[in-house]
Amino acid sequence: MLSLSSTTTIITATILVFYLHHTTSLPPHAQLSTCHVTSFNCGTITNLSYPFTGGDRPSFCGPPQFHLNCQNGIVPELIISSVSYRVIHVNSEAHTLNLARLDLWNETCTNVYVNSTFDGPTFSYGSGNQNLTLFYECEASSRITETPENLFHCWSNGDKNNSYSLVGPFPLDPILEVVECDEHVKVPILIELADRLVKNRSLLGEVLMKGFNVNYMNPYETECFECLASGGVCGFDSDNDEPICICGDQLCATPGSSKVAVAIGASVGAVGALVVILGCVYFVLQRRRKIAYNKQRSSMDLFMPPSSGDTFASTTNTSQSLSSYQSSNTDPMPPRSNYFGVQVFTYEELEEATKNFDSSKELGEGGFGTVYKGELKDGRVVAVKRHYESNSRRIEQFMNEVQILARLRHKSLVTLFGCTHRHSRELLLVYEFIPNGTVADHLQGRSTKSTNLLPWPIRLNIAVETAEALAYLHAKGVIHRDVKTNNILLDDNFRVKVADFGLSRDFPNHVTHVSTAPQGTPGYVDPEYYQSYQLTDKSDVYSFGVVLVELISSLQAVDINRNRSDVNLANMAINKIQNQELLEFVDPYLGFERDYAIRRMTTGVAELAFRCLQQEREIRPSMNEVVEILRGINSSDGLGAREETKVLEVRTDEAILLKVSPVSPDSVVDKWVSGSSVSNSS
């Protein structure tokens, strides 16, 4: 009779033979290495990446649903449910497209009588759309006494036919009661243009060319992430209808999502199930023995003195595993202990400190939990973060924050006082209390402690101290991963305390990146991180660039009430700087027009933000370089600069930020300084 190990060996060998004979159908002489190029252009759309293919990027580099026709050299075309669309815009960060019907481009008539539908797993209707129905080959009734406003004509087989456009749900127009139409086409339009179209039917062609919004989702996202994590790049085998993982110019040894992997998983799973069953039998037998043994010991324990060494051991080992945190809650709760070197509080202590988590004690609410103000029995005022849930993901974030903050000490990082025990009923973190709210509160006027929206010297100091904190993190091998003004706290002296390390990641000095699914706050996340799934310290640099433009403009990172092109503040800042419109972008409260010294410093910070927000991470400066630049700008705010304004008449054209190149060695600040010197000497 075969043993369990022998059976496992035979099954595994069979699986390997099957795996080695598996082949993937790809085009002959396919140069798989071309998929390693992270971005490509298709017509007027630039910096496209996986899952899209087209142009110089072969179709086997991504799923067929995302293949673009770039042959006309003008705009990319995408086929969805047999209908061709022109791709006007791609937002890879938000996973949205702006599309327009190809057959209705610069044309209101069509012979493609197919509705535009987006109800599949890959493409779905985006926000901000309104339905439009076009009716063709209509016969008007004699009951029509005057020409309808929504009438237009199309030619079919040499004949002119009546056609009508109807905005809104179908049918809702009296015209349909007096006409009969053979064909109709439904297509979305932008909701902000729908009202204009109702008022002016002549705009029909223009409205159709503005397109509509569509969300997209790559159904092979998980498999692609696994491939990237293993060092490969993502591709697709259309013949076998499965994703592939490419290493160099060949397939990786273990493609993340092939059918072979499914077969291997099923076979190994069967073996695993057998092992689990045998293990359960063994566990039951051992459990019965232990119960019998404990019954025998219990009678002896009545006559034995209690042990004095039964305490929870202190530890500073930062590699303690997640499983240890989730271990059995039958262990005794010690009166006081440490976890990763920080104090462990009981749930009851923190419940009492926050008055049973009274709503009046709430300081703020984030994506992971609510923060309460509390007072410990020793008199310390603290901030207690209460995680919403205790699932495995929340526990991992909780442990991550404890491990990272326990070993970091910096004047501009929030101090972690402690946390609840691993057996506590809830996951609670205890920080020093920072009384003056967040930078976002002050910039957006939500703070009750500030009578103004932060003068320029304080904003510049916030930038310097935040940059110093991030540079310290990077030197310690930590990427914050969620840098934003809501996570920058201010004390009573407006000194910075960077907080919230739940998403932070360790980043050893010897690695170039960490492969991980993109996480963070919309508007702050590095766009290249979205494209490559590779997290680096330059991802923090991008997020900090968004913080800089917030400090300059007092605008939110994302605001759907702004013009469409300006919803994302980073894009808005880039456009304003490139178009020499900094004056329109800067918060008027700062005195940009009145004070030459402030104008010069604001201009320097704007240029630095411009460099931090570059799409390609290699172009962005390091945080150490950012710190040095900001310190240099800050040191220029002195008597000399202010005396200069008294004797120097600043020309209007010098007040406009010059169009700069991210790779230019000459900074705008240098140009201002040299220009000032010349003017002063003359």
Side-chain angles (χ1 to χ4, degrees):
M1 181 176 179
L2 291 174
S3 65
L4 177 61
S5 60
S6 300
T7 305
T8 304
T9 302
I10 292 173
I11 294 175
T12 304
T14 303
I15 293 171
L16 288 175
V17 170
F18 172 74
Y19 176 71
L20 291 173
H21 281 83
H22 173 76
T23 58
T24 302
S25 300
L26 289 170
H29 310 295
Q31 295 182 356
L32 299 182
S33 59
T34 56
C35 297
H36 286 263
V37 179
T38 57
S39 62
F40 69 101
N41 300 332
C42 184
T44 56
I45 309 296
T46 60
N47 293 322
L48 289 164
S49 61
Y50 181 90
F52 294 99
T53 61
D56 296 332
R57 190 174 179 86
S59 59
F60 53 77
C61 294
Q65 301 97 312
F66 296 95
H67 184 69
L68 304 172
N69 178 10
C70 311
Q71 294 179 357
N72 60 14
I74 302 174
V75 292
E77 300 170 6
L78 182 65
I79 298 177
I80 303 176
S81 300
S82 74
V83 180
S84 296
Y85 298 92
R86 292 179 65 136
V87 182
I88 302 173
H89 180 71
V90 177
N91 188 331
S92 58
E93 183 175 333
H95 284 203
T96 59
L97 302 171
N98 180 232
L99 304 177
R101 288 269 298 233
L102 187 63
D103 56 309
L104 293 171
W105 184 265
N106 203 25
E107 177 63 70
T108 57
C109 302
T110 182
N111 57 5
V112 183
Y113 301 123
V114 179
N115 294 332
S116 291
T117 56
F118 306 92
D119 51 8
T122 304
F123 300 100
S124 60
Y125 288 99
S127 60
N129 294 330
Q130 169 71 64
N131 284 331
L132 171 71
T133 307
L134 302 173
F135 296 90
Y136 298 100
E137 300 182 14
C138 303
E139 291 292 336
S141 168
S142 58
R143 287 184 290 170
I144 297 180
T145 58
E146 57 183 25
T147 303
E149 293 182 1
N150 59 344
L151 171 68
F152 62 98
H153 294 99
C154 296
W155 291 86
S156 177
N157 298 322
D159 297 327
K160 183 171 71 171
N161 296 312
N162 293 330
S163 302
Y164 301 91
S165 63
L166 178 63
V167 179
F170 165 70
L172 279 182
D173 198 300
I175 191 66
L176 298 178
E177 299 178 2
V178 292
V179 299
E180 293 183 0
C181 303
D182 293 337
E183 303 290 349
H184 73 274
V185 173
K186 289 184 181 180
V187 60
I189 58 175
L190 295 176
I191 196 167
E192 64 262 26
L193 299 179
D195 292 338
R196 292 179 56 195
L197 179 59
V198 171
K199 296 175 182 177
N200 186 354
R201 298 287 179 164
S202 65
L203 297 176
L204 178 61
E206 179 183 342
V207 169
L208 289 171
M209 292 173 65
K210 292 293 184 180
F212 49 89
N213 299 323
V214 172
N215 300 321
Y216 71 86
M217 185 190 72
N218 177 15
Y220 308 102
E221 187 109 356
T222 301
E223 291 85 348
C224 181
F225 168 65
E226 293 173 355
C227 173
L228 292 169
S230 67
V233 296
C234 308
F236 199 86
D237 178 6
S238 297
D239 290 341
N240 287 324
D241 193 27
E242 63 181 7
I244 57 176
C245 190
I246 301 170
C247 293
D249 203 21
Q250 60 185 0
L251 297 182
C252 300
T254 55
S257 62
S258 73
K259 296 172 184 176
V260 177
V262 176
I264 294 173
S267 302
V268 173
V271 176
L274 180 59
V275 172
V276 169
I277 292 172
L278 294 177
C280 289
V281 173
Y282 176 79
F283 174 80
V284 171
L285 293 176
Q286 289 295 101
R287 182 70 175 171
R288 288 179 178 176
R289 288 182 186 177
K290 187 174 182 180
I291 292 173
Y293 174 78
N294 288 339
K295 286 182 179 179
Q296 184 178 2
R297 283 286 307 271
S298 62
S299 59
M300 298 175 62
D301 288 343
L302 295 174
F303 303 95
M304 296 180 65
S307 171
S308 61
D310 195 16
T311 59
F312 182 78
S314 300
T315 177
T316 56
N317 180 10
T318 58
S319 63
Q320 183 170 344
S321 67
L322 178 62
S323 60
S324 69
Y325 187 87
Q326 296 173 288
S327 60
S328 170
N329 58 8
T330 59
D331 294 344
M333 179 68 72
R336 182 63 63 215
S337 59
N338 288 282
Y339 180 52
F340 293 129
V342 299
Q343 181 178 340
V344 174
F345 294 90
T346 65
Y347 174 83
E348 289 72 21
E349 282 181 284
L350 301 181
E351 186 178 37
E352 180 181 351
T354 58
K355 306 299 182 185
N356 198 24
F357 299 102
D358 191 287
S359 59
S360 64
K361 297 287 185 179
E362 287 188 20
L363 297 173
E365 193 168 354
F368 304 135
T370 305
V371 181
Y372 298 83
K373 181 179 180 181
E375 184 174 352
L376 302 177
K377 289 183 178 180
D378 60 10
R380 282 182 295 172
V381 180
V382 296
V384 180
K385 180 194 284 187
R386 186 186 195 187
H387 281 248
Y388 292 130
E389 303 169 310
S390 295
N391 56 35
S392 59
R393 184 182 176 190
R394 291 290 182 256
I395 293 173
E396 183 178 3
Q397 290 165 346
F398 172 83
M399 290 183 61
N400 189 59
E401 191 155 4
V402 173
Q403 291 183 49
I404 288 176
L405 281 177
R407 73 175 192 264
L408 298 176
R409 292 291 183 271
H410 189 274
K411 63 181 179 65
S412 296
L413 295 181
V414 68
T415 300
L416 178 69
F417 287 157
C419 59
T420 49
H421 191 272
R422 58 181 179 173
H423 306 313
S424 174
R425 57 189 283 191
E426 287 192 30
L427 303 175
L428 303 171
L429 294 167
V430 184
Y431 306 92
E432 63 174 320
F433 174 66
I434 310 299
N436 210 359
T438 70
V439 171
D441 292 336
H442 289 274
L443 291 179
Q444 295 159 26
R446 297 194 300 259
S447 174
T448 58
K449 290 192 173 186
S450 180
T451 58
N452 53 50
L453 300 180
L454 298 179
W456 174 251
I458 290 180
R459 298 193 193 202
L460 183 54
N461 190 68
I462 289 171
V464 172
E465 292 186 353
T466 304
E468 290 173 343
L470 295 176
Y472 168 81
L473 289 178
H474 293 177
K476 294 295 183 180
V478 175
I479 301 177
H480 188 282
R481 208 181 179 195
D482 199 16
V483 177
K484 58 183 179 181
T485 49
N486 272 312
N487 285 340
I488 304 173
L489 309 179
L490 298 173
D491 65 14
D492 280 331
N493 295 318
F494 291 93
R495 296 295 180 182
V496 163
K497 293 286 186 178
V498 176
D500 205 335
F501 290 77
L503 293 181
S504 301
R505 288 292 301 266
D506 285 317
F507 188 76
N509 293 329
H510 63 276
V511 301
T512 59
H513 66 271
V514 176
S515 294
T516 175
Q519 293 190 54
T521 303
Y524 294 91
V525 181
D526 175 7
E528 191 162 344
Y529 182 19
Y530 266 111
Q531 295 174 5
S532 67
Y533 286 63
Q534 294 180 351
L535 175 69
T536 75
D537 53 356
K538 294 297 183 70
S539 300
D540 277 353
V541 173
Y542 181 90
S543 303
F544 181 72
V546 180
V547 170
L548 288 180
V549 294
E550 284 186 90
L551 290 170
I552 292 173
S553 65
S554 299
L555 300 175
Q556 297 182 42
V558 175
D559 188 348
I560 60 175
N561 295 317
R562 294 195 290 256
N563 291 334
R564 183 176 179 181
S565 60
D566 294 337
V567 168
N568 187 301
L569 183 61
N571 294 339
M572 181 181 180
I574 291 292
N575 292 334
K576 292 294 184 183
I577 293 172
Q578 287 181 328
N579 294 329
Q580 304 178 13
E581 297 172 345
L582 186 61
L583 183 62
E584 300 176 12
F585 184 68
V586 174
D587 184 351
Y589 165 76
L590 298 181
F592 183 82
E593 293 185 87
R594 303 185 303 272
D595 192 314
Y596 172 71
I598 290 178
R599 186 183 311 172
R600 181 177 60 176
M601 289 184 288
T602 307
T603 303
V605 173
E607 186 204 273
L608 177 59
F610 182 81
R611 294 181 58 195
C612 293
L613 294 174
Q614 291 304 303
Q615 293 284 318
E616 298 180 24
R617 61 168 61 110
E618 290 80 7
I619 301 178
R620 301 173 202 154
S622 67
M623 282 311 307
N624 283 332
E625 186 179 352
V626 169
V627 169
E628 292 305 313
I629 293 173
L630 286 173
R631 285 174 178 170
I633 295 173
N634 198 21
S635 65
S636 68
D637 180 22
L639 293 176
R642 297 195 176 276
E643 287 296 326
E644 198 172 4
T645 62
K646 298 179 181 179
V647 298
L648 174 65
E649 180 180 356
V650 183
R651 297 197 308 271
T652 302
D653 59 344
E654 287 180 328
I656 302 176
L657 177 65
L658 300 176
K659 184 176 180 180
V660 296
S661 168
V663 296
S664 172
D666 301 320
S667 71
V668 173
V669 178
D670 291 338
K671 293 176 183 177
W672 278 68
V673 173
S674 60
S676 303
S677 301
V678 172
S679 300
N680 200 26
S681 61
S682 62

